[in-house]
PDB file of all heavy atoms in Angstrom:
ATOM      1  N   ARG A  61      74.662  59.079  89.431  1.00 98.00           N
ATOM      2  CA  ARG A  61      76.012  59.290  88.897  1.00 98.00           C
ATOM      3  C   ARG A  61      76.151  58.684  87.505  1.00 98.00           C
ATOM      4  O   ARG A  61      75.391  57.806  87.115  1.00 98.00           O
ATOM      5  CB  ARG A  61      77.046  58.616  89.807  1.00 98.00           C
ATOM      6  CG  ARG A  61      76.990  59.027  91.258  1.00 98.00           C
ATOM      7  CD  ARG A  61      77.641  60.353  91.501  1.00 98.00           C
ATOM      8  NE  ARG A  61      77.775  60.560  92.950  1.00 98.00           N
ATOM      9  CZ  ARG A  61      78.217  61.675  93.501  1.00 98.00           C
ATOM     10  NH1 ARG A  61      78.578  62.690  92.753  1.00 98.00           N
ATOM     11  NH2 ARG A  61      78.294  61.789  94.805  1.00 98.00           N
ATOM     12  N   TYR A  62      77.185  59.154  86.830  1.00 97.00           N
ATOM     13  CA  TYR A  62      77.510  58.597  85.511  1.00 97.00           C
ATOM     14  C   TYR A  62      78.542  57.487  85.623  1.00 97.00           C
ATOM     15  O   TYR A  62      78.965  56.933  84.623  1.00 97.00           O
ATOM     16  CB  TYR A  62      78.003  59.710  84.588  1.00 97.00           C
ATOM     17  CG  TYR A  62      76.876  60.645  84.213  1.00 97.00           C
ATOM     18  CD1 TYR A  62      76.477  61.673  85.065  1.00 97.00           C
ATOM     19  CD2 TYR A  62      76.170  60.462  83.028  1.00 97.00           C
ATOM     20  CE1 TYR A  62      75.425  62.498  84.747  1.00 97.00           C
ATOM     21  CE2 TYR A  62      75.105  61.291  82.696  1.00 97.00           C
ATOM     22  CZ  TYR A  62      74.740  62.312  83.567  1.00 97.00           C
ATOM     23  OH  TYR A  62      73.680  63.136  83.248  1.00 97.00           O
ATOM     24  N   TYR A  63      78.978  57.189  86.833  1.00 97.00           N
ATOM     25  CA  TYR A  63      79.989  56.141  87.054  1.00 97.00           C
ATOM     26  C   TYR A  63      79.495  55.191  88.132  1.00 97.00           C
ATOM     27  O   TYR A  63      78.766  55.605  89.041  1.00 97.00           O
ATOM     28  CB  TYR A  63      81.309  56.761  87.533  1.00 97.00           C
ATOM     29  CG  TYR A  63      81.986  57.605  86.483  1.00 97.00           C
ATOM     30  CD1 TYR A  63      81.605  58.925  86.282  1.00 97.00           C
ATOM     31  CD2 TYR A  63      83.006  57.083  85.691  1.00 97.00           C
ATOM     32  CE1 TYR A  63      82.215  59.706  85.314  1.00 97.00           C
ATOM     33  CE2 TYR A  63      83.622  57.855  84.722  1.00 97.00           C
ATOM     34  CZ  TYR A  63      83.227  59.165  84.538  1.00 97.00           C
ATOM     35  OH  TYR A  63      83.837  59.931  83.585  1.00 97.00           O
ATOM     36  N   ASN A  64      79.937  53.956  88.026  1.00 97.00           N
ATOM     37  CA  ASN A  64      79.618  52.985  89.080  1.00 97.00           C
ATOM     38  C   ASN A  64      80.646  53.080  90.211  1.00 97.00           C
ATOM     39  O   ASN A  64      81.664  53.737  90.081  1.00 97.00           O
ATOM     40  CB  ASN A  64      79.594  51.569  88.500  1.00 97.00           C
ATOM     41  CG  ASN A  64      78.366  51.366  87.646  1.00 97.00           C
ATOM     42  OD1 ASN A  64      78.308  51.847  86.521  1.00 97.00           O
ATOM     43  ND2 ASN A  64      77.371  50.710  88.187  1.00 97.00           N
ATOM     44  N   GLY A  65      80.324  52.368  91.288  1.00 98.00           N
ATOM     45  CA  GLY A  65      81.281  52.300  92.398  1.00 98.00           C
ATOM     46  C   GLY A  65      81.230  53.509  93.316  1.00 98.00           C
ATOM     47  O   GLY A  65      82.197  53.791  94.023  1.00 98.00           O
ATOM     48  N   CYS A  66      80.095  54.207  93.313  1.00 98.00           N
ATOM     49  CA  CYS A  66      80.031  55.472  94.082  1.00 98.00           C
ATOM     50  C   CYS A  66      79.325  55.331  95.434  1.00 98.00           C
ATOM     51  O   CYS A  66      78.923  56.353  96.014  1.00 98.00           O
ATOM     52  CB  CYS A  66      79.350  56.560  93.259  1.00 98.00           C
ATOM     53  SG  CYS A  66      80.343  57.107  91.875  1.00 98.00           S
ATOM     54  N   GLU A  67      79.182  54.109  95.918  1.00 98.00           N
ATOM     55  CA  GLU A  67      78.388  53.920  97.141  1.00 98.00           C
ATOM     56  C   GLU A  67      78.906  54.773  98.316  1.00 98.00           C
ATOM     57  O   GLU A  67      78.138  55.490  98.967  1.00 98.00           O
ATOM     58  CB  GLU A  67      78.422  52.429  97.500  1.00 98.00           C
ATOM     59  CG  GLU A  67      77.345  52.041  98.483  1.00 98.00           C
ATOM     60  CD  GLU A  67      77.511  50.608  98.950  1.00 98.00           C
ATOM     61  OE1 GLU A  67      78.150  49.802  98.233  1.00 98.00           O
ATOM     62  OE2 GLU A  67      77.018  50.305 100.056  1.00 98.00           O
ATOM     63  N   GLN A  68      80.200  54.674  98.570  1.00 98.00           N
ATOM     64  CA  GLN A  68      80.749  55.434  99.716  1.00 98.00           C
ATOM     65  C   GLN A  68      80.808  56.940  99.401  1.00 98.00           C
ATOM     66  O   GLN A  68      80.544  57.776 100.257  1.00 98.00           O
ATOM     67  CB  GLN A  68      82.159  54.923 100.095  1.00 98.00           C
ATOM     68  CG  GLN A  68      82.231  53.435 100.367  1.00 98.00           C
ATOM     69  CD  GLN A  68      81.137  52.943 101.306  1.00 98.00           C
ATOM     70  OE1 GLN A  68      80.777  53.614 102.287  1.00 98.00           O
ATOM     71  NE2 GLN A  68      80.588  51.766 101.005  1.00 98.00           N
ATOM     72  N   ILE A  69      81.161  57.214  98.154  1.00 98.00           N
ATOM     73  CA  ILE A  69      81.244  58.613  97.711  1.00 98.00           C
ATOM     74  C   ILE A  69      79.888  59.305  97.898  1.00 98.00           C
ATOM     75  O   ILE A  69      79.797  60.441  98.367  1.00 98.00           O
ATOM     76  CB  ILE A  69      81.655  58.652  96.213  1.00 98.00           C
ATOM     77  CG1 ILE A  69      83.056  58.080  96.013  1.00 98.00           C
ATOM     78  CG2 ILE A  69      81.502  60.051  95.605  1.00 98.00           C
ATOM     79  CD1 ILE A  69      84.178  58.920  96.510  1.00 98.00           C
ATOM     80  N   ASP A  70      78.819  58.578  97.515  1.00 98.00           N
ATOM     81  CA  ASP A  70      77.469  59.154  97.655  1.00 98.00           C
ATOM     82  C   ASP A  70      77.173  59.497  99.113  1.00 98.00           C
ATOM     83  O   ASP A  70      76.602  60.547  99.429  1.00 98.00           O
ATOM     84  CB  ASP A  70      76.407  58.160  97.159  1.00 98.00           C
ATOM     85  CG  ASP A  70      76.342  58.120  95.639  1.00 98.00           C
ATOM     86  OD1 ASP A  70      77.001  58.964  94.999  1.00 98.00           O
ATOM     87  OD2 ASP A  70      75.644  57.250  95.099  1.00 98.00           O
ATOM     88  N   LYS A  71      77.577  58.576  99.990  1.00 98.00           N
ATOM     89  CA  LYS A  71      77.291  58.809 101.418  1.00 98.00           C
ATOM     90  C   LYS A  71      78.051  60.034 101.904  1.00 98.00           C
ATOM     91  O   LYS A  71      77.522  60.874 102.637  1.00 98.00           O
ATOM     92  CB  LYS A  71      77.690  57.583 102.239  1.00 98.00           C
ATOM     93  CG  LYS A  71      76.726  56.434 102.025  1.00 98.00           C
ATOM     94  CD  LYS A  71      77.030  55.275 102.923  1.00 98.00           C
ATOM     95  CE  LYS A  71      76.049  54.154 102.622  1.00 98.00           C
ATOM     96  NZ  LYS A  71      76.633  52.833 102.658  1.00 98.00           N
ATOM     97  N   ILE A  72      79.303  60.131 101.487  1.00 98.00           N
ATOM     98  CA  ILE A  72      80.137  61.257 101.951  1.00 98.00           C
ATOM     99  C   ILE A  72      79.596  62.578 101.408  1.00 98.00           C
ATOM    100  O   ILE A  72      79.445  63.557 102.151  1.00 98.00           O
ATOM    101  CB  ILE A  72      81.604  61.052 101.510  1.00 98.00           C
ATOM    102  CG1 ILE A  72      82.219  59.862 102.261  1.00 98.00           C
ATOM    103  CG2 ILE A  72      82.429  62.317 101.734  1.00 98.00           C
ATOM    104  CD1 ILE A  72      83.550  59.392 101.708  1.00 98.00           C
ATOM    105  N   GLU A  73      79.292  62.591 100.112  1.00 98.00           N
ATOM    106  CA  GLU A  73      78.822  63.867  99.534  1.00 98.00           C
ATOM    107  C   GLU A  73      77.477  64.283 100.134  1.00 98.00           C
ATOM    108  O   GLU A  73      77.241  65.469 100.407  1.00 98.00           O
ATOM    109  CB  GLU A  73      78.739  63.771  97.999  1.00 98.00           C
ATOM    110  CG  GLU A  73      78.480  65.139  97.392  1.00 98.00           C
ATOM    111  CD  GLU A  73      78.618  65.196  95.875  1.00 98.00           C
ATOM    112  OE1 GLU A  73      79.424  64.434  95.305  1.00 98.00           O
ATOM    113  OE2 GLU A  73      77.902  66.010  95.267  1.00 98.00           O
ATOM    114  N   SER A  74      76.597  63.284 100.379  1.00 98.00           N
ATOM    115  CA  SER A  74      75.298  63.614 100.998  1.00 98.00           C
ATOM    116  C   SER A  74      75.494  64.186 102.394  1.00 98.00           C
ATOM    117  O   SER A  74      74.786  65.109 102.822  1.00 98.00           O
ATOM    118  CB  SER A  74      74.398  62.366 101.098  1.00 98.00           C
ATOM    119  OG  SER A  74      74.216  61.820  99.828  1.00 98.00           O
ATOM    120  N   LEU A  75      76.454  63.605 103.106  1.00 98.00           N
ATOM    121  CA  LEU A  75      76.746  64.087 104.459  1.00 98.00           C
ATOM    122  C   LEU A  75      77.232  65.538 104.418  1.00 98.00           C
ATOM    123  O   LEU A  75      76.806  66.382 105.219  1.00 98.00           O
ATOM    124  CB  LEU A  75      77.845  63.188 105.049  1.00 98.00           C
ATOM    125  CG  LEU A  75      77.987  63.049 106.549  1.00 98.00           C
ATOM    126  CD1 LEU A  75      76.662  62.655 107.183  1.00 98.00           C
ATOM    127  CD2 LEU A  75      79.042  61.969 106.851  1.00 98.00           C
ATOM    128  N   ALA A  76      78.117  65.821 103.465  1.00 98.00           N
ATOM    129  CA  ALA A  76      78.627  67.201 103.328  1.00 98.00           C
ATOM    130  C   ALA A  76      77.466  68.150 103.029  1.00 98.00           C
ATOM    131  O   ALA A  76      77.371  69.243 103.615  1.00 98.00           O
ATOM    132  CB  ALA A  76      79.681  67.278 102.229  1.00 98.00           C
ATOM    133  N   GLN A  77      76.553  67.729 102.144  1.00 98.00           N
ATOM    134  CA  GLN A  77      75.417  68.596 101.789  1.00 98.00           C
ATOM    135  C   GLN A  77      74.536  68.853 103.014  1.00 98.00           C
ATOM    136  O   GLN A  77      74.136  69.988 103.287  1.00 98.00           O
ATOM    137  CB  GLN A  77      74.561  67.917 100.717  1.00 98.00           C
ATOM    138  CG  GLN A  77      75.215  67.883  99.351  1.00 98.00           C
ATOM    139  CD  GLN A  77      74.334  67.156  98.340  1.00 98.00           C
ATOM    140  OE1 GLN A  77      74.044  65.968  98.503  1.00 98.00           O
ATOM    141  NE2 GLN A  77      73.908  67.861  97.314  1.00 98.00           N
ATOM    142  N   LYS A  78      74.248  67.766 103.733  1.00 98.00           N
ATOM    143  CA  LYS A  78      73.364  67.873 104.901  1.00 98.00           C
ATOM    144  C   LYS A  78      73.999  68.799 105.952  1.00 98.00           C
ATOM    145  O   LYS A  78      73.338  69.672 106.519  1.00 98.00           O
ATOM    146  CB  LYS A  78      73.161  66.466 105.470  1.00 98.00           C
ATOM    147  CG  LYS A  78      72.262  66.366 106.663  1.00 98.00           C
ATOM    148  CD  LYS A  78      71.980  64.886 106.972  1.00 98.00           C
ATOM    149  CE  LYS A  78      71.377  64.699 108.333  1.00 98.00           C
ATOM    150  NZ  LYS A  78      72.330  64.690 109.438  1.00 98.00           N
ATOM    151  N   ARG A  79      75.291  68.602 106.174  1.00 98.00           N
ATOM    152  CA  ARG A  79      75.964  69.425 107.190  1.00 98.00           C
ATOM    153  C   ARG A  79      76.000  70.906 106.783  1.00 98.00           C
ATOM    154  O   ARG A  79      75.841  71.785 107.634  1.00 98.00           O
ATOM    155  CB  ARG A  79      77.389  68.902 107.423  1.00 98.00           C
ATOM    156  CG  ARG A  79      77.375  67.595 108.180  1.00 98.00           C
ATOM    157  CD  ARG A  79      78.764  67.013 108.327  1.00 98.00           C
ATOM    158  NE  ARG A  79      78.704  65.740 109.049  1.00 98.00           N
ATOM    159  CZ  ARG A  79      79.711  64.898 109.134  1.00 98.00           C
ATOM    160  NH1 ARG A  79      80.862  65.167 108.543  1.00 98.00           N
ATOM    161  NH2 ARG A  79      79.578  63.768 109.813  1.00 98.00           N
ATOM    162  N   ALA A  80      76.224  71.168 105.495  1.00 98.00           N
ATOM    163  CA  ALA A  80      76.240  72.571 105.040  1.00 98.00           C
ATOM    164  C   ALA A  80      74.860  73.199 105.260  1.00 98.00           C
ATOM    165  O   ALA A  80      74.746  74.320 105.768  1.00 98.00           O
ATOM    166  CB  ALA A  80      76.646  72.648 103.574  1.00 98.00           C
TER     167      ALA A  80
END
Side-chain angles (χ1 to χ4, degrees):
R61 305 281 191 185
Y62 290 82
Y63 293 83
N64 287 76
C66 290
E67 196 187 337
Q68 306 312 321
I69 296 289
D70 283 352
K71 287 186 182 141
I72 292 168
E73 189 170 329
S74 303
L75 204 53
Q77 288 178 298
K78 181 171 166 278
R79 288 176 181 168

